[in-house]
């Protein structure tokens, strides 16, 4: 694989685009979708889907994949310009999967997954910690409260930074939690800045894992710890199998990923970056009461609490059809921008591919790695 050429950053351009496209920050869900600028939204749709339209798994070439890697930052930024509101509506403020214990509610399980990473990393009160790819700050807020650490969230999407900053202020966490705009492949932080760094299902957006892991190593203090839940295809994935390729491409398209790799490549990447790998395990292989993908599977019989019925109902065929029908109707009468339903449909395809990939054990969203920067 050829070395990655980093994208040029233009924070002023991105901030101006964010201001035009997203309208009132306080809106959420369908109301937020209705506040978008239609012209800016179309630009985001065109920029994102140019990488995917008419490019099926059967016809995809190495050159097509390389073009996505070259525009990794733009691809990811516009993906979250389009998908953030849908994520918050359907999933909440923590954009990741988790394990499920017996009788455990969805949001309780999400928080426990974050706590487990903090525990495995040994986070302690007063540590200065970097969250790489922080989303709208849900995990960062939870880890600040759980571990009493100081967190800086890094994100290349201005809209998510604005939302994360507002949520932190609302919860009274602004003194311990802040957010910075940046590309995780070329961070602006000085070397040896942080006591610890974590990433929850975020570094998969990198065009090359060794590149982002190397930057994380650089900003860590000597002896500092890095913990990650990585999205990876498993050893069972066969790139020569058309169905396997279809599932990987469906996940990549619906989740803004330029280049997803297999577990051995992910493990080798963290070693090649210079880390001392202490722990690595596919947590999806644990025997749990419910599989990690069950909320996407839309099976109401799997719900463990009354509250979870609402979350899972949104993912049933009826729930999806209803939500997408509403979005399509709003689009037709001009209340939401054209392309909103296309985005929602793409996320739905990804959800199906994630479930199928999970059931066939071809994919994991929770390959845990805990590694340390050498002390000398």
């Amino acid at each position: 694989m050829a070395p990655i050429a980093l994208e040029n950053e233009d924070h002023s351009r991105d901030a101006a685009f964010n201001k035009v496209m997203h309208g009132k920050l306080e809106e959420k869900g369908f109301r937020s979708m209705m506040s978008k600028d239609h012209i800016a939204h179309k630009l985001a749709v065109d920029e994102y889907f140019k990488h995917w339209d008419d490019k099926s798994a059967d016809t995809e070439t190495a050159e097509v994949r390389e073009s996505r890697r070259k525009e990794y930052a733009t691809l990811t930024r516009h993906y979250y310009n389009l998908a953030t509101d849908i994520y918050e509506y359907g999933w909440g403020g923590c954009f990741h999967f988790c394990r499920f214990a017996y009788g455990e509610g969805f949001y309780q399980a999400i928080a426990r997954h974050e706590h487990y990473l903090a525990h495995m990393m040994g986070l302690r009160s007063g540590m200065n910690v970097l969250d790489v790819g922080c989303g709208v700050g849900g995990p960062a807020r939870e880890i600040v409260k759980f571990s009493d650490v100081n967190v800086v969230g890094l994100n290349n999407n201005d809209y998510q930074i604005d939302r994360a900053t507002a949520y932190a202020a609302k919860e009274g966490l602004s003194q311990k939690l802040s957010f910075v705009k940046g590309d995780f492949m070329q961070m602006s932080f000085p070397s040896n800045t942080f006591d610890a760094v974590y990433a929850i299902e975020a570094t998969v957006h990198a065009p090359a894992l060794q590149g982002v892991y190397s930057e994380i190593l650089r900003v860590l203090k000597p002896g500092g710890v890095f913990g990650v839940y990585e999205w990876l295809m498993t050893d069972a994935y066969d790139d020569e199998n058309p169905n396997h390729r279809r599932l990987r491409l469906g996940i990549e398209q619906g989740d803004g990923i330029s280049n997803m790799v297999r577990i051995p490549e992910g493990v080798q990447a963290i070693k090649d970056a210079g880390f001392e790998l202490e722990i690595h395990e596919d947590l999806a292989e644990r025997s749990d009461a419910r599989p990690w993908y069950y909320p996407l599977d839309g099976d109401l019989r799997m719900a463990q609490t009354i509250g979870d019925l609402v979350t899972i109902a949104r993912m049933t065929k009826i729930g999806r059809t209803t939500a997408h029908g509403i979005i399509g109707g709003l689009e037709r009468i001009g209340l939401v921008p054209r392309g909103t339903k296309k985005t929602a449909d793409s996320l739905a395809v990804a959800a199906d591919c994630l479930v199928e990939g999970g059931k066939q054990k071809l994919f994991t969203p929770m390959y845990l790695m805990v590694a340390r920067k050498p002390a000398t």
Side-chain angles (χ1 to χ4, degrees):
M1 186 178 291
I4 296 298
L6 303 180
E7 281 197 61
N8 292 325
E9 294 187 278
D10 189 337
H11 292 190
S12 297
R13 174 204 62 196
D14 297 343
F17 183 86
N18 172 59
K19 184 176 180 180
V20 171
M21 177 171 170
H22 291 292
K24 295 180 180 179
L25 181 62
E26 63 267 20
E27 305 293 1
K28 290 181 68 174
F30 283 111
R31 291 181 64 186
S32 184
M33 295 177 207
M34 293 168 66
S35 71
K36 305 303 179 194
D37 179 85
H38 287 221
I39 295 174
H41 189 275
K42 182 180 185 303
L43 189 152
V45 169
D46 292 345
E47 277 293 313
Y48 183 71
F49 283 101
K50 74 180 184 182
H51 292 289
W52 311 102
D53 287 345
D54 303 317
K55 297 177 177 68
S56 69
D58 293 333
T59 61
E60 185 184 56
T61 63
E63 290 74 20
V64 167
R65 296 192 68 81
E66 183 62 22
S67 72
R68 294 179 195 136
R69 294 174 71 233
K70 287 180 178 178
E71 297 189 19
Y72 67 94
T74 299
L75 183 149
T76 303
R77 184 173 60 255
H78 281 310
Y79 172 76
Y80 284 110
N81 277 330
L82 298 171
T84 295
D85 295 321
I86 299 173
Y87 272 30
E88 286 201 86
Y89 164 76
W91 203 257
C94 299
F95 302 167
H96 64 80
F97 293 104
C98 62
R99 297 169 57 207
F100 293 92
Y102 177 79
E104 189 173 40
F106 176 77
Y107 293 111
Q108 180 185 0
I110 287 283
R112 181 169 64 86
H113 200 58
E114 296 157 0
H115 298 170
Y116 186 75
L117 181 61
H119 165 72
M120 295 300 288
M121 292 173 63
L123 297 187
R124 296 293 181 266
S125 178
M127 293 176 71
N128 293 318
V129 179
L130 177 65
D131 179 338
V132 173
C134 63
V136 297
R141 295 192 299 277
E142 190 65 34
I143 286 176
V144 165
K145 289 180 283 189
F146 178 74
S147 298
D148 192 34
V149 293
N150 306 300
V151 173
V152 175
L154 180 70
N155 196 318
N156 84 335
N157 182 276
D158 296 80
Y159 182 52
Q160 290 196 336
I161 290 173
D162 287 347
R163 298 190 80 80
T165 302
Y167 293 145
K170 183 178 179 180
E171 294 189 23
L173 298 174
S174 298
Q175 295 300 312
K176 297 184 71 66
L177 178 56
S178 61
F179 301 93
V180 174
K181 163 83 171 178
D183 176 359
F184 57 26
M185 296 290 289
Q186 47 186 332
M187 300 184 207
S188 61
F189 307 112
S191 298
N192 308 321
T193 295
F194 296 98
D195 300 306
V197 178
Y198 68 85
I200 298 179
E201 302 184 21
T203 44
V204 68
H205 292 294
L209 288 178
Q210 185 179 341
V212 66
Y213 292 163
S214 295
E215 269 294 273
I216 289 168
L217 183 85
R218 181 184 67 80
V219 302
L220 266 174
K221 294 177 181 177
V225 64
F226 170 46
V228 59
Y229 288 134
E230 194 62 81
W231 279 32
L232 294 166
M233 305 307 292
T234 69
D235 291 342
Y237 174 81
D238 178 5
D239 202 49
E240 299 301 314
N241 184 310
N243 186 55
H244 290 193
R245 289 201 310 274
R246 175 186 65 81
L247 292 175
R248 183 180 74 166
L249 186 63
I251 294 169
E252 289 174 331
Q253 175 177 336
D255 290 289
I257 300 167
S258 64
N259 186 60
M260 190 159 52
V261 299
R262 294 168 64 246
I263 287 173
E265 295 169 71
V267 172
Q268 191 61 47
I270 205 166
K271 293 177 180 178
D272 289 346
F275 278 103
E276 297 172 348
L277 186 58
E278 298 179 346
I279 298 168
H280 66 104
E281 178 190 0
D282 183 4
L283 297 183
E285 289 297 309
R286 296 277 188 99
S287 298
D288 292 319
R290 297 288 186 272
W292 61 265
Y293 52 79
Y294 103 83
L296 293 181
D297 205 12
D299 186 349
L300 292 172
R301 296 171 298 179
M302 299 284 281
Q304 301 196 90
T305 70
I306 297 298
D308 289 350
L309 289 172
V310 176
T311 300
I312 299 170
R314 294 170 179 167
M315 300 308 300
T316 63
K317 289 184 178 179
I318 294 175
R320 285 193 204 177
T321 301
T322 300
H324 290 213
I326 292 171
I327 291 172
L330 293 173
E331 199 174 282
R332 284 191 294 274
I333 61 177
L335 289 181
V336 300
R338 292 195 176 277
T340 304
K341 186 175 183 296
K342 182 176 184 178
T343 302
D345 290 343
S346 180
L347 267 64
V349 169
D352 291 337
C353 290
L354 286 163
V355 171
E356 192 173 347
K359 289 180 176 180
Q360 295 186 33
K361 297 188 180 299
L362 299 174
F363 165 79
T364 177
M366 53 184 69
Y367 197 86
L368 170 67
M369 291 187 281
V370 179
R372 195 167 299 276
K373 181 174 181 175
T376 57

